[in-house]
């Protein structure tokens, strides 16, 4: 090897070492950045030795794809889990203290006590006040559910705005990648940014990525709807200002196609938007329907019947509603009953009513009086009410609870339904979160920076630099000796 060739090789080695050191130092500096993908300096052999020809990202597309899917599933399940916890507190309170089942049990106790001493006016008033607590509890729980649905609408509105912003940012990053790829520029930072935006977008909707010519990406939702193709598609939503039972919320639309909410406590919703639709239109609505069924059961159980033999219809007694005194149809949902049920003013001493009508009947006229003799010890009607609280009533399976229940049994079932949903959702959230964390850790291990490895590379680069420097010094000494000999 000639001296000229040796020095050229050494100089090339120094240049390679400098570029590799820059790459390694950047890796170390970005070690705490979870969105940074480790870079490698790619060497190729030439006439003057190896040279750096490319700076390549250590990406893993398969793991990234799996991680994005797990992220969408985990975020959706978290929405359902949190929502179930929220509904549990809103409807049932701490330790189920305000649950309809708890309030009905207290009312049953008061009614049982009154039936044992039907002449006691104080016990009559206590039973009516206990009934008011049940009605007020159903009203408050129903109102809380509808306010929660309106709150979800605002969350959806904010999320849609954030998603549109992310898609706009994704276009900028994708354009930079495509243009840089075509011109041969370094697009690694833009690729990192694009992958980071993909993660954020996946929190809201499931994302399928199609890689096209020129490193271009097209994005599609899990339903196959175009989310991004050259330009972002519009995601739209119009929230309602308020909700009432039976009112369906507006759809979230991607490129004009509605996002469909998932099903089940271990939800098949993917992304937070679909999960919020499920909480608003499915789970919350089912719980509201159960409150409506409880209210319908109470109105029917405590209805007054015509005692005169004239064949008059059953009419609302202790419990009534905005459509009273008519009784809601049996076995069919009546949306809004939980919100409008109330204690009949004729029974309520707080507004001048007579609580002893609970014992005697007659809130709907003389034909509905049961205690025709006016005896203060008359208890038949009260005992019948106590017994009827355990009688089966027809219910609508559309409320999410199948089977035949008494009004108190249905309330207990509703309490168990929500608790079971909350428990299942929480366990599923833990499992899906753990899966995402495992995949994300695997992705970070595959594409992220290991400080120990990078420091070892730096030491090797330092030794390579020292070796190249020694070659240059040796060549310099030889040249100096040669010049001295010539002179």
């Amino acid at each position: 090897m000639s001296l000229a060739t040796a020095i050229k090789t050494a100089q090339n080695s120094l240049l390679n070492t400098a570029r590799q050191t820059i790459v390694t130092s950047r890796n170390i500096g970005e070690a705490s950045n979870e969105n940074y993908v480790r870079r490698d300096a790619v060497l190729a052999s030439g006439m003057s030795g190896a040279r750096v020809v490319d700076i390549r990202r250590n990406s893993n597309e398969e793991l990234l794809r799996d991680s994005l899917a797990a992220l969408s599933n985990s975020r959706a399940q978290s929405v359902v889990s949190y929502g179930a916890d929220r509904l549990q507190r809103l409807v049932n309170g701490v330790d189920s203290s305000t649950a309809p089942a708890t309030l009905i049990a207290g009312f049953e106790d008061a009614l049982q006590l009154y039936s044992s001493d039907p002449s006691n006016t104080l016990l009559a008033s206590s039973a009516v006040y206990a009934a008011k607590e049940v009605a007020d509890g159903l009203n408050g729980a129903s109102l809380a559910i509808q306010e929660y649905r309106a709150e979800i609408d605002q969350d959806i509105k904010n999320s849609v705005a954030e998603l549109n912003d992310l898609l706009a940012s994704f276009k900028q990053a994708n354009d930079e990648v495509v243009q840089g790829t075509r011109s041969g520029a370094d697009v690694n930072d833009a690729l990192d940014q694009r992958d980071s935006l993909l993660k954020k977008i996946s929190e809201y909707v499931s994302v399928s990525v199609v890689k096209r010519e020129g490193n271009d990406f097209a994005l599609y939702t899990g339903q196959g709807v175009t989310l991004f193709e050259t330009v972002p598609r519009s995601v739209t939503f119009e929230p309602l200002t308020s909700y009432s039972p039976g009112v369906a919320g507006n759809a979230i639309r991607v490129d004009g196609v509605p996002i469909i909410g998932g099903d089940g406590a271990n939800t098949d919703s993917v992304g937070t938007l679909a999960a919020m639709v499920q909480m608003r239109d499915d789970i919350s609505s089912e719980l509201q329907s159960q409150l409506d069924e409880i209210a319908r059961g109470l109105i029917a159980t405590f209805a007054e019947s015509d005692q005169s033999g004239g064949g008059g219809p059953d009419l609302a007694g202790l419990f009534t509603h905005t459509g009273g005194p008519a009784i809601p149809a049996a076995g069919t949902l009546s949306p809004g009953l939980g919100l409008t049920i109330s204690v009949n003013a004729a029974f309520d001493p707080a507004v001048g009513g007579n609580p002893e009508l609970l014992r005697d009947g007659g809130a709907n006229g003389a034909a509905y009086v049961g205690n025709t003799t006016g005896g203060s010890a008359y208890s038949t009607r009260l005992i019948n009410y106590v017994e009827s609280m355990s009688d089966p009533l027809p219910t609508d399976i559309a409320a999410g609870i199948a089977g035949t229940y008494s009004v108190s049994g249905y309330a207990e079932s509703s309490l168990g339904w929500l608790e079971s949903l909350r428990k299942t959702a929480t366990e599923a959230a833990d499992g899906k979160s753990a899966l995402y964390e495992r995949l994300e850790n695997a992705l970070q291990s595959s594409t992220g920076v290991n400080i120990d490895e990078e420091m070892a590379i730096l030491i090797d680069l330092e030794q390579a630099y020292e070796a190249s420097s020694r070659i240059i010094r040796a060549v310099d000494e030889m040249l100096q000796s040669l010049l001295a000999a010539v002179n």
Side-chain angles (χ1 to χ4, degrees), residues 198-213:
L198 268 179
K199 290 181 182 180
K200 293 176 181 177
I201 292 169
S202 294
E203 294 186 23
Y204 296 100
V205 291
S206 62
V207 176
S208 296
V209 179
V210 175
K211 189 173 183 179
R212 305 191 298 183
E213 185 180 357

Side-chain angles (χ1 to χ4, degrees), residues 38-160:
R38 181 180 178 274
R39 315 301 199 240
D40 281 320
V42 180
L43 301 176
S45 297
M47 295 296 294
S48 301
R51 63 188 181 89
V52 175
V53 294
D54 191 18
I55 307 299
R56 187 174 300 167
R57 295 169 77 240
N58 190 26
S59 60
N60 188 321
E61 293 183 3
E62 184 177 353
L63 265 178
L64 175 62
R65 182 174 63 250
D66 292 342
S67 178
L68 293 177
L71 176 60
S72 295
N73 289 330
S74 177
R75 292 296 183 267
Q77 190 63 57
S78 293
V79 168
V80 174
S81 176
Y82 173 78
D85 280 339
R86 183 81 183 279
L87 288 174
Q88 173 80 3
R89 294 192 299 272
L90 290 174
V91 174
N92 297 328
V94 179
D95 296 328
S96 301
S97 58
T98 61
T102 303
L103 300 176
I104 288 174
F107 169 56
E108 282 188 279
D109 290 342
L111 190 62
Q112 180 74 50
L113 193 60
Y114 181 32
S115 70
S116 66
D117 188 4
S119 63
N120 192 323
T121 304
L122 289 177
L123 293 180
S125 296
S126 294
V128 172
Y129 287 139
K132 288 182 68 175
E133 287 187 353
V134 173
D136 290 345
L138 290 171
N139 297 161
S142 297
L143 182 61
I145 289 174
Q146 300 313 313
E147 289 176 344
Y148 172 61
R149 296 180 71 203
E151 183 181 313
I152 291 176
D153 256 17
Q154 291 304 309
D155 290 341
I156 292 175
K157 177 183 176 182
N158 294 335
S159 295
V160 165

